Amino acid sequence: MTDEQQSFDALEERLNARKTEYETMPVPDAAFQAVQSGIRRAARKRKSRLRWYMSSISAAALILLFTGCIRVSPAFASFVEQLPGMEGIVSMIRQDKGLMMAIDQSLLQKVGVTDEHDGTSLTVDGIITDESRMVIFYTMKGMKDPEKFNYDIDLLDENGKDLPVAFSYFSPRPASENGIYEDKIDVSFTESLPPQELTVIFKEHGKETNNMWKVTFPVDHNLTKGMKNTIPVNQTMTVDGQRIHVKQAVLYPTRLVLDIKYDPNNTKKIFGIRDLHLVDEQGLAWRTDSSSIGGSGSSVFFESMYFSTPKKLTLQGSGLSAVDKDELVISIDPSSGEVQGGPSSLKLLKSSVQGINLILEFSIADAQNATSGLSFTNIEDSKGNSFDINEVSWSPSVFEAKVVIKNGAAAKGNLTMEIFSYPDQIRAPFSIEIPVTP
């Protein structure tokens, strides 16, 4: 038996022990975890906050799922060995088939650089990167008080400048009694290539001390050099009378990028495509994290099948989220509740003032299984004063939305608003064939 196989068998034995531990673990009624998504595009920050809930029994189920099918290659087992703890591994990669295959192909770059002070340490354990995407795996230790650990993240190039990228991350929260947290930063390169050297900075949010953890390391471009396949598609599909152009697919080790454009002559403004996915000849679905594609179109990111090229791919979806273009603008009289324009399914339930803000509550008929909520843009009163939205909430179970307009209490006369997103769903299943080879 080789040393590599012995290491792999030892790892499997430890995982089975962890499985037994979780089978006997007492599960509390609920556990709460805060999630923060940070986005930087073209060196500008835009932060959004979400809340989600996950029971401890679900976390245990993830471990059981992973340990139940742990018989993967020694290369993947080697990756597991490089990062401390199993829980973070499961949550980071269990749903991304393409990323798992990239790791299996030894594309993980081990980093292992740590910055430690004030009893807390940040370690970048490793990265996977190509021309389109970088996934940064990290560990934080010494996090004993959840309320004191809320972070902003900066990514800098070798010149100390902000990377012109979009990236997302979960706000770190202690995952165990000893204050260890493992997760990833997911980076999209839309305007640049990966830097030669990367600096990851965690800054304690909203604290006078401005504590900061900073890790700098080189990025190896050779591992995925030349790993890019461009597949022309140039097909047009018609969904509910709306033309959607599929231009091309670009396949990288970390993901597949599909370029989609909406026809400018469409009668509806499309806010999103429902249940979009790729299916291969074996019926295996390659998912996307994009729940909507707004504006004139966008690049849609799917799991990568770079190392398992299928013989056939079919792009499928169940319909659209869209509104007739002549129904996009609505006028609201906050005092009387009268609404002019807009879709017939949109109803104003209540208008109220809270401090300096104006709160509008709506109901939307036939919004079952909506993938997006209600929001507006280009908000003006009768005097031409502009207003911004401070908060939006959507309750899909009762099809109701609340829109908080910042400083809206000072609005004069009617408010004119343009629909920016809408949860109405058009059921119109579609599918087109995507060529696999360029």
Side-chain angles (χ1 to χ4, degrees):
M1 180 180 297
T2 65
D3 292 341
E4 182 180 47
Q5 187 62 46
Q6 286 178 337
S7 176
F8 178 60
D9 289 342
L11 170 64
E12 184 173 25
E13 183 178 345
R14 293 198 302 275
L15 293 178
N16 286 330
R18 179 65 63 88
K19 177 180 177 181
T20 302
E21 175 185 339
Y22 271 87
E23 286 173 341
T24 59
M25 180 182 68
V27 179
D29 291 337
F32 301 96
Q33 183 173 8
V35 178
Q36 173 177 310
S37 292
I39 296 178
R40 182 184 301 279
R41 189 180 300 276
R44 294 188 309 167
K45 283 187 182 178
R46 293 187 301 169
K47 295 283 191 322
S48 61
R49 294 181 184 275
L50 307 172
R51 290 278 174 183
W52 67 294
Y53 307 98
M54 175 180 175
S55 69
S56 294
I57 194 168
S58 297
L62 301 186
I63 297 294
L64 299 183
L65 171 66
F66 190 70
T67 53
C69 56
I70 191 61
R71 181 62 70 173
V72 292
S73 76
F76 183 77
S78 175
F79 161 72
V80 174
E81 291 275 26
Q82 293 175 29
L83 297 180
M86 281 301 304
E87 295 83 354
I89 305 289
V90 174
S91 64
M92 284 187 278
I93 64 173
R94 71 181 185 89
Q95 291 184 334
D96 194 322
K97 297 185 289 292
L99 198 58
M100 289 183 67
M101 286 191 291
I103 291 171
D104 196 38
Q105 293 293 320
S106 301
L107 296 186
L108 175 75
Q109 300 181 35
K110 187 174 181 180
V111 177
V113 179
T114 300
D115 184 18
E116 181 176 7
H117 58 84
D118 299 323
T120 302
S121 67
L122 165 68
T123 301
V124 173
D125 301 291
I127 64 171
I128 300 174
T129 189
D130 53 32
E131 292 183 11
S132 178
R133 180 187 185 193
M134 177 186 291
V135 183
I136 305 167
F137 301 97
Y138 70 88
T139 300
M140 295 198 76
K141 294 182 179 180
M143 304 174 65
K144 301 186 183 303
D145 188 345
E147 298 304 320
K148 292 184 178 180
F149 291 90
N150 191 7
Y151 297 88
D152 291 329
I153 294 179
D154 289 335
L155 301 178
L156 310 179
D157 64 15
E158 57 270 19
N159 298 314
K161 295 182 179 180
D162 288 320
L163 287 178
V165 298
F167 65 95
S168 62
Y169 60 97
F170 290 83
S171 182
R173 287 289 184 267
S176 60
E177 291 183 359
N178 57 0
I180 297 177
Y181 182 87
E182 302 166 282
D183 217 311
K184 69 180 188 298
I185 307 168
D186 208 325
V187 184
S188 292
F189 297 102
T190 56
E191 303 176 21
S192 66
L193 294 174
Q196 298 296 322
E197 183 180 82
L198 179 64
T199 296
V200 179
I201 299 175
F202 278 59
K203 295 186 296 187
E204 198 170 359
H205 179 66
K207 303 295 182 181
E208 294 180 359
T209 54
N210 292 321
N211 286 332
M212 182 176 71
W213 289 259
K214 182 177 180 180
V215 170
T216 301
F217 53 90
V219 178
D220 186 355
H221 292 242
N222 292 324
L223 287 179
T224 55
K225 186 177 181 179
M227 291 186 177
K228 173 184 175 181
N229 295 331
T230 301
I231 305 170
V233 179
N234 297 320
Q235 296 188 50
T236 297
M237 55 186 180
T238 301
V239 184
D240 190 49
Q242 311 306 301
R243 290 167 60 84
I244 301 173
H245 307 295
V246 184
K247 310 300 287 184
Q248 67 176 14
V250 185
L251 187 57
Y252 300 91
T254 62
R255 66 185 178 191
L256 180 144
V257 181
L258 191 67
D259 289 334
I260 290 179
K261 183 175 178 61
Y262 302 137
D263 195 305
N265 296 319
N266 285 339
T267 60
K268 298 177 183 290
K269 181 173 181 179
I270 301 173
F271 300 109
I273 302 178
R274 288 173 48 86
D275 305 324
L276 196 63
H277 56 280
L278 290 166
V279 180
D280 64 20
E281 73 279 0
Q282 298 179 349
L284 181 63
W286 301 83
R287 68 185 182 93
T288 174
D289 289 331
S290 302
S291 59
S292 65
I293 315 161
S296 61
S298 184
S299 294
V300 190
F301 304 135
F302 293 86
E303 293 173 294
S304 174
M305 63 289 295
Y306 188 94
F307 297 106
S308 178
T309 305
K311 298 178 181 178
K312 175 183 176 183
L313 276 177
T314 304
L315 179 67
Q316 297 180 352
S318 63
L320 305 174
S321 172
V323 169
D324 288 338
K325 289 182 178 179
D326 58 6
E327 296 180 341
L328 289 174
V329 178
I330 69 172
S331 177
I332 295 178
D333 184 343
S335 59
S336 67
E338 182 182 356
V339 178
Q340 295 180 348
S344 59
S345 57
L346 179 66
K347 304 295 182 183
L348 178 64
L349 298 176
K350 182 181 178 182
S351 172
S352 61
V353 172
Q354 188 176 79
I356 63 173
N357 299 326
L358 176 66
I359 301 176
L360 302 175
E361 298 180 43
F362 298 89
S363 68
I364 299 96
D366 302 322
Q368 295 91 338
N369 302 315
T371 57
S372 60
L374 174 69
S375 188
F376 297 94
T377 187
N378 298 329
I379 304 172
E380 291 186 353
D381 66 7
S382 59
K383 300 295 185 180
N385 300 312
S386 298
F387 298 88
D388 295 323
I389 289 180
N390 190 49
E391 180 185 344
V392 174
S393 60
W394 165 244
S395 301
S397 59
V398 293
F399 316 141
E400 292 181 0
K402 181 173 74 172
V403 179
V404 180
I405 300 177
K406 187 177 181 180
N407 298 322
K412 305 298 184 182
N414 287 7
L415 280 174
T416 301
M417 305 186 294
E418 181 180 346
I419 295 175
F420 180 75
S421 64
Y422 199 73
D424 189 23
Q425 305 297 308
I426 299 170
R427 276 70 177 176
F430 64 87
S431 67
I432 63 170
E433 299 297 321
I434 302 293
V436 173
T437 56

